[in-house]
Amino acid sequence: MAEAADFQGMTPSPARRRFRRTAALLAGAPLLAGLLQLPAAPAGAATPAAKTPEAPSAPAGTGSVDVSVDSMSPSTPTDDDTVTVSGKVTNEGRQTVTDAHVGLRVGPTLNNRSSVDNAAKRSDSLQGALGREVGGKDGKYTEEFDKIAPGATQNFRLSVPVKELDLSADGVYQLGVSLTGRSAAQPYAQVLGVERTFLPWQSEAPSEKTKVSFLWPLISRTHLTAETASDEQQTPVFADDKLAEEIAPGGRLEQMLSLGKDLPVTWVIDPDLLASLDAMATKGYNVENPDGGNPVPGSAKNRALAKQWLNKLQQAVKGKKVVALPFADPDLASLAHQGKAVGGSLSHLQPATDVAAETVKMVLHVEPSTDFAWPAEGAVDPSVVDVATSAGAHSVIARSDSLRESGALPYTPTAARPIGGGTTAVVADARLSTAFQGDMTRAENSTLAVQEFLAQSQMITLQDPDRQRSIVVAPQRMPTASQAQTMAQALGALDSESWTEPDDLISAAKATPDPKATTQVPGTGAYPANLRRQELPRAAFESVRTTQETLGRFKVILSEPDRVVTPFGRAMDRELSTSWRGRAHGAEAYRNSVQRYLTTLTGQVQLIEKTEAKLSGRSATIPITVQNNLVQGVENLTLRLTSTKPTRLKIGEQPGPYEEQPIKVSGGHSQTVKFTTTANANGPVPVVAQLYTEDGTPYGKEIRFDVDVTEITLTVMLVIAGGILLLVLAGFRMYTQRKAAARRAEEEEAEAENGENGENGDEDGGENGDGRKKGDGSPESGPPAPEQPSDPTPDTAPESTDPSGTGERVDR
């Protein structure tokens, strides 16, 4: 780089400075006019002298014509290849472009990775050297356009043999496509638009190829809810049917699988995706009804798609390395920065890791590695590393824009770095890992991304061709279909004849570390602010803890706890997923839905409300009904009935204010339990019924009601007894009167008979043979004893076995 400088201590006068400027302008005007028509040799060009003249460096700005490079083949040419570049040019100016042609330009080789970065940033800038145009004889390798009207677009296709490009030393060349033309405002020929890309050139294989481990992530967002059907196989309920769209032909996951099966990649899988698709394929599935109401059945077509996708994946991973992330891909940075302060948050990591291995083995029939933790975008600090390794992982996938080099190394070091405590940081290359972000549906973006990726990878090898290094590429977690296609295109260009060779993540983690590479994990303050803003808030972990506590109280009463523990355990894992980054409202809605559904289930086991019970007498029973609307039975419950005034109303025979009875209720049934009571005084007494688990924890809502005691007093008993005595006396009097009347009638009849006999016999009516006078009115024997009245009836009715209703009368 040339720079102007004045001699120290020699300061020209203002008049002299004005004279010099005027003279320079006058002398330079003819030269400037000539330069605008004749090409100037670029600074630092690697092309031989006396070649075809180059076009001049164009004015600042991006020009009035937009040039788009939509395809380039081959991406890494060899000697006998022909490079074909196609695209389009669009006149974005206000004047018609005339006498235009599109040509291919070869610039100088780039010196390092930073120069590749800078060239990519100004790919459409007219500033700087444009390189030598490859026109060939009579413009054989250019394409001409008579005119291009404002707003008009013209397609082009250029094919140039590699030998015409005059590529000398191995390296990364700038390759540009420019449009040269005229307009009314600019009547002389000049470059009106350009698009630069890169042309990696490797005439022969290097002595030491760079090992490249490319991660191929199969990760999706959360689709399964905590809800399952009540059938035997517990048909899962999906929040939507978008997962089926991802595995359908042309879908994101279908593209990832179809492309990845033929590439040398390491499969990095979230087992939640496998579990969701396996449930869809084997159990069928339901989808939440957006209008409310019961879930609707999923389609048989989507079930077939899920089964087909899993079968293809089983074939694709045979013989390949598979890394299983913890179930649902938990957000390690959120756990480190927000969750550690909430008790129990970290306890989810180990079960998530355990179930991850089981799920992959069950669905894919391969043994995965669970030794890797992958924080969001590879950003780490000491707390993130601690959390990442808390579930047993020994390798953390970081990224070089987080674990930065100090600048002392002139080359990119091997990815593996020991960072202490037996932990290895596998540092993915940031430039290569972020190369495929952005909108890859545009052919121009995709083509430029591929060429820049290849350029950066070749530059790594060129940094130190005699030193073999192992690098890792960790792209975005959920590439779109177009991004996956672009990645596959770039990987396909890195064949065995180039400057790299394929490797896998597990081998990369075991590679010998570079002793000069940094091993210092950046401090907490260095964690990127934009990533911190995307983290789950502390409230999210508090919500998960509430769900965990509720589930803990619920599962101990169930006869089949796994039917509830498993779906809710996995749902809590999903609440902590990295996929919620940037979707705070969706994450909160999902957490609320999980807790709401669990609360609904726990509420299916409850006490039936009572308003009042009336107790007549000193002792009686009080029935309490437990209802179980769950499909499965409940057990290990105790029902406790407590008297708030035990001196007036005692419950049970044991000392104390309450009595407990065990509860066991089958699914869909209810059970009524009766408690004996003893009343010592009249009036209402509040009582409390509450269910408890075996450890004494209250379960569900308590119910309160009054027991109204109406005891019978001594005065009332005396009145009742007096009334009964009067009835007995009245009955006796009526009986004696009837007997006396009957005797008189007999005497009168006897007298009549005697009168007739007196005429024929003894007229004076002598005595009878037994010494008594006839007709004296005395009975032969005393009247019979009066009947005794029965004992009073009980003050309460017989005990009833039927459940009592609200406000019912409670008897013994």
Side-chain angles (χ1 to χ4, degrees):
M1 181 177 64
E3 294 182 355
D6 288 324
F7 289 106
Q8 185 176 4
M10 299 292 290
T11 305
S13 65
R16 183 175 296 178
R17 289 197 300 269
R18 288 194 297 272
F19 174 77
R20 289 180 178 176
R21 287 197 295 268
T22 303
L25 288 173
L26 292 174
L31 179 60
L32 180 61
L35 289 174
L36 291 174
Q37 300 182 36
L38 297 176
T47 55
K51 293 291 182 180
T52 304
E54 296 185 357
S57 297
T62 57
S64 59
V65 176
D66 176 69
V67 181
S68 172
V69 176
D70 295 340
S71 70
M72 177 176 169
S73 177
S75 297
T76 56
T78 60
D79 283 327
D80 298 329
D81 286 331
T82 296
V83 175
T84 300
V85 179
S86 62
K88 54 184 177 291
V89 292
T90 303
N91 184 2
E92 296 181 340
R94 298 181 179 180
Q95 298 176 336
T96 299
V97 174
T98 59
D99 298 330
H101 73 271
V102 175
L104 203 61
R105 294 179 178 273
V106 180
T109 56
L110 301 174
N111 300 322
N112 50 46
R113 300 190 70 183
S114 294
S115 62
V116 176
D117 296 336
N118 294 332
K121 291 177 182 177
R122 55 181 182 84
S123 63
D124 59 351
S125 173
L126 295 180
Q127 291 181 320
L130 297 175
R132 175 182 59 88
E133 185 177 271
V134 184
K137 186 178 181 180
D138 300 327
K140 181 179 180 180
Y141 304 122
T142 63
E143 187 166 345
E144 297 182 352
F145 304 99
D146 290 336
K147 64 178 181 178
I148 306 175
T153 296
Q154 296 284 350
N155 296 323
F156 67 85
R157 180 184 177 87
L158 304 174
S159 295
V160 181
V162 170
K163 294 179 180 179
E164 296 292 334
L165 299 179
D166 195 19
L167 305 176
S168 54
D170 292 348
V172 176
Y173 288 81
Q174 291 190 67
L175 186 69
V177 177
S178 65
L179 180 134
T180 303
R182 305 170 185 266
S183 66
Q186 299 169 325
Y188 47 88
Q190 60 179 310
V191 176
L192 300 178
V194 67
E195 182 69 80
R196 294 182 181 85
T197 184
F198 306 100
L199 180 65
W201 172 248
Q202 190 80 32
S203 59
E204 59 183 17
S207 57
E208 294 290 347
K209 293 184 178 182
T210 302
K211 293 183 177 181
V212 176
S213 303
F214 201 106
L215 310 189
W216 202 254
L218 293 182
I219 301 172
S220 185
R221 292 180 175 179
T222 294
H223 298 282
L224 267 177
T225 69
E227 185 176 355
T228 58
S230 59
D231 53 8
E232 184 64 27
Q233 60 185 6
Q234 290 187 270
T235 301
V237 177
F238 284 69
D240 50 49
D241 225 352
K242 293 182 179 179
L243 183 57
E245 297 175 7
E246 291 193 79
I247 61 173
R252 187 183 72 84
L253 290 173
E254 188 275 334
Q255 286 289 290
M256 289 291 294
L257 176 54
S258 297
L259 297 168
K261 65 183 177 63
D262 298 322
L263 296 172
V265 296
T266 298
W267 298 88
V268 180
I269 301 177
D270 175 9
D272 181 27
L273 173 63
L274 301 183
S276 300
L277 289 172
D278 183 64
M280 181 186 293
T282 60
K283 299 180 180 180
Y285 72 107
N286 296 325
V287 181
E288 282 187 344
N289 190 336
D291 299 326
N294 295 327
V296 296
S299 71
K301 176 183 177 181
N302 291 341
R303 291 185 60 186
L305 281 174
K307 186 175 182 179
Q308 181 183 25
W309 192 90
L310 289 174
N311 289 338
K312 288 183 177 179
L313 181 59
Q314 289 175 3
Q315 298 300 317
V317 299
K318 282 185 176 179
K320 301 289 184 66
K321 299 296 182 181
V322 176
V323 171
L325 299 173
F327 193 92
D329 186 20
D331 192 335
L332 302 174
S334 293
L335 279 164
H337 298 152
Q338 307 293 335
K340 286 176 67 176
V342 180
S345 296
L346 298 184
S347 65
H348 295 275
L349 282 180
Q350 187 61 59
T353 301
D354 295 340
V355 75
E358 297 171 3
T359 302
V360 173
K361 285 189 288 186
M362 179 188 70
V363 178
L364 298 183
H365 312 301
V366 297
E367 188 76 30
S369 171
T370 58
D371 199 39
F372 292 87
W374 190 10
E377 299 193 23
V380 294
D381 62 25
S383 63
V384 173
V385 172
D386 289 343
V387 168
T389 57
S390 63
H394 296 91
S395 300
V396 179
I397 303 172
R399 210 166 67 184
S400 61
D401 53 353
S402 177
L403 199 66
R404 297 177 181 271
E405 293 302 318
S406 61
L409 283 179
Y411 55 83
T412 301
T414 288
R417 320 281 175 82
I419 56 176
T423 302
T424 299
V426 182
V427 183
D429 186 84
R431 290 182 175 100
L432 300 181
S433 298
T434 59
F436 308 106
Q437 296 178 357
D439 182 11
M440 295 296 143
T441 58
R442 295 184 58 191
E444 178 184 20
N445 293 349
S446 177
T447 300
L448 297 180
V450 168
Q451 296 306 124
E452 184 177 358
F453 176 86
L454 296 173
Q456 289 285 3
S457 64
Q458 185 189 26
M459 195 64 76
I460 291 174
T461 302
L462 292 174
Q463 288 171 340
D464 195 344
D466 297 328
R467 184 192 302 269
Q468 186 176 60
R469 282 152 290 152
S470 175
I471 64 173
V472 172
V473 181
Q476 56 271 33
R477 270 176 153 76
M478 289 185 283
T480 63
S482 59
Q483 289 171 346
Q485 293 164 0
T486 305
M487 293 191 305
Q489 184 180 349
L491 272 175
L494 290 178
D495 57 24
S496 59
E497 299 299 326
S498 67
W499 48 89
T500 64
E501 62 183 38
D503 199 7
D504 63 80
L505 180 63
I506 298 172
S507 298
K510 297 177 181 178
T512 302
D514 192 313
K516 297 180 180 179
T518 183
T519 58
Q520 182 65 42
V521 176
T524 304
Y527 191 84
N530 64 316
L531 294 181
R532 192 179 289 273
R533 286 192 293 269
Q534 297 177 357
E535 292 176 351
L536 296 170
R538 175 170 176 165
F541 297 96
E542 293 172 344
S543 175
V544 174
R545 180 177 62 183
T546 299
T547 301
Q548 181 68 56
E549 292 172 348
T550 305
L551 180 63
R553 292 190 297 268
F554 187 41
K555 68 180 182 180
V556 298
I557 73 168
L558 302 175
S559 58
E560 299 176 75
D562 287 345
R563 287 179 61 91
V564 172
V565 172
T566 299
F568 276 100
R570 302 291 75 80
M572 285 186 286
D573 291 337
R574 297 182 183 106
E575 290 181 44
L576 305 178
S577 175
T578 305
S579 67
W580 294 118
R581 281 181 171 259
R583 300 192 297 143
H585 294 299
E588 183 179 8
Y590 185 81
R591 293 193 300 270
N592 291 341
S593 69
V594 173
Q595 180 63 34
R596 184 168 52 249
Y597 181 58
L598 180 57
T599 301
T600 300
L601 290 182
T602 59
Q604 299 302 303
V605 180
Q606 60 181 340
L607 300 173
I608 301 299
E609 290 284 346
K610 297 171 72 71
T611 56
E612 186 183 30
K614 294 182 179 180
L615 191 153
S616 58
R618 291 184 176 274
S619 62
T621 58
I622 298 178
I624 304 294
T625 301
V626 182
Q627 188 176 52
N628 175 20
N629 289 325
L630 296 173
V631 176
Q632 62 174 296
V634 295
E635 53 193 23
N636 303 322
L637 275 174
T638 298
L639 175 58
R640 179 186 297 179
L641 186 63
T642 304
S643 172
T644 60
K645 299 178 180 180
T647 57
R648 297 179 56 187
L649 179 68
K650 187 178 184 312
I651 298 176
E653 303 296 333
Q654 300 298 323
Y658 63 84
E659 183 182 18
E660 293 181 337
Q661 295 194 39
I663 298 296
K664 185 175 182 179
V665 189
S666 301
H669 290 76
S670 61
Q671 177 185 356
T672 299
V673 180
K674 294 192 174 184
F675 292 87
T676 61
T677 61
T678 303
N680 299 317
N682 294 341
V685 177
V687 297
V688 180
Q690 174 69 64
L691 289 171
Y692 287 87
T693 58
E694 283 188 325
D695 61 356
T697 303
Y699 181 88
K701 294 192 305 181
E702 65 179 25
I703 62 170
R704 291 176 173 267
F705 58 95
D706 289 339
V707 176
D708 192 7
V709 180
T710 56
E711 184 183 0
I712 300 177
T713 64
L714 181 59
T715 303
V716 174
M717 292 292 292
L718 291 175
V719 170
I720 294 175
I724 295 174
L725 180 60
L726 290 175
L727 290 174
V728 172
L729 293 174
F732 179 75
R733 182 179 179 184
M734 293 174 63
Y735 173 77
T736 55
Q737 287 177 347
R738 286 197 298 270
K739 295 291 287 184
R743 285 195 300 269
R744 286 194 298 271
E746 291 176 356
E747 290 175 353
E748 291 176 353
E749 182 179 356
E751 289 177 354
E753 291 177 354
N754 290 336
E756 293 176 358
N757 294 334
E759 293 177 358
N760 299 317
D762 184 9
E763 296 179 358
D764 56 5
E767 295 180 359
N768 290 329
D770 58 4
R772 291 176 297 171
K773 294 183 178 179
K774 294 179 181 179
D776 61 359
S778 63
E780 297 178 355
S781 63
E787 297 181 3
Q788 298 297 320
S790 63
D791 293 334
T793 58
D795 59 353
T796 58
E799 180 178 326
S800 173
T801 60
D802 295 329
S804 57
T806 58
E808 76 276 21
R809 182 183 183 90
V810 181
D811 299 318
R812 290 181 295 188

